[in-house]
């Protein structure tokens, strides 16, 4: 449970960093970033596997690069669910934000989740 909360907080900070880096991404505050992180986690557990299943041929043909598009879709969907608290202007920006989020998750959050302590 602690690792999950730490990963949510780190995801929220990465979302705030993305908000700082890009003008087309808007978060209303720290609470909105945490809720967006929670919504994104729920979407990654529920919607993302369905999207992966439906787009499996495209994922295989692109050697897994299409997963970035799926990450962009889930991030854009999370912003849609959040309404005015989390806004992404355009799908291209959602793809770029998903790329940054994926890099941070790979380098920072996944090692914390997989630690034995």
């Amino acid at each position: 449970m602690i690792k999950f909360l730490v990963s949510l907080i780190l995801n929220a900070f990465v979302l705030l960093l993305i908000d700082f880096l890009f003008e087309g991404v808007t978060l209303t505050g720290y609470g909105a970033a945490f809720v967006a992180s929670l919504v994104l986690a729920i979407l990654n557990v529920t919607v993302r596997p369905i999207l992966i299943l439906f787009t499996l041929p495209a994922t295989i043909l692109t050697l897994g690069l299409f997963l970035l598009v799926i990450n962009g879709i889930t991030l854009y969907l999370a912003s849609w669910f959040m309404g005015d608290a989390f806004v992404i202007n355009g799908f291209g920006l959602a793809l770029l934000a998903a790329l940054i989020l994926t890099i941070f998750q790979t380098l920072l959050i996944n090692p914390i989740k997989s630690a034995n302590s």
Side-chain angles (χ1 to χ4, degrees):
M1 184 69 174
I2 300 271
K3 291 179 185 179
F4 177 70
L5 287 175
V6 169
S7 68
L8 280 180
I9 292 169
L10 288 175
N11 265 340
F13 281 123
V14 172
L15 288 174
L16 285 170
L17 175 70
I18 291 170
D19 174 37
F20 177 74
L21 290 175
F22 303 112
E23 289 183 18
V25 178
T26 306
L27 275 164
T28 58
Y30 298 113
F34 184 77
V35 173
S37 177
L38 183 63
V39 168
L40 191 60
I42 292 170
L43 288 174
N44 279 336
V45 170
T46 57
V47 175
R48 189 171 184 264
I50 297 168
L51 287 174
I52 290 173
L53 184 65
F54 285 144
T55 62
L56 192 60
T59 304
I60 291 171
L61 284 175
T62 61
L63 302 176
L65 289 177
F66 196 76
L67 291 175
L68 181 62
V69 174
I70 292 173
N71 289 343
I73 290 170
T74 56
L75 187 62
Y76 200 67
L77 194 59
S79 75
W80 181 77
F81 278 124
M82 291 286 297
D84 291 336
F86 179 39
V87 177
I88 298 178
N89 295 329
F91 184 68
L93 195 56
L95 278 176
L96 189 59
L99 177 65
I100 292 172
L101 193 63
T102 302
I103 290 171
F104 272 96
Q105 284 179 345
T106 301
L107 297 177
L108 186 68
I109 297 168
N110 287 345
I112 290 173
K113 281 184 179 178
S114 64
N116 290 337
S117 58

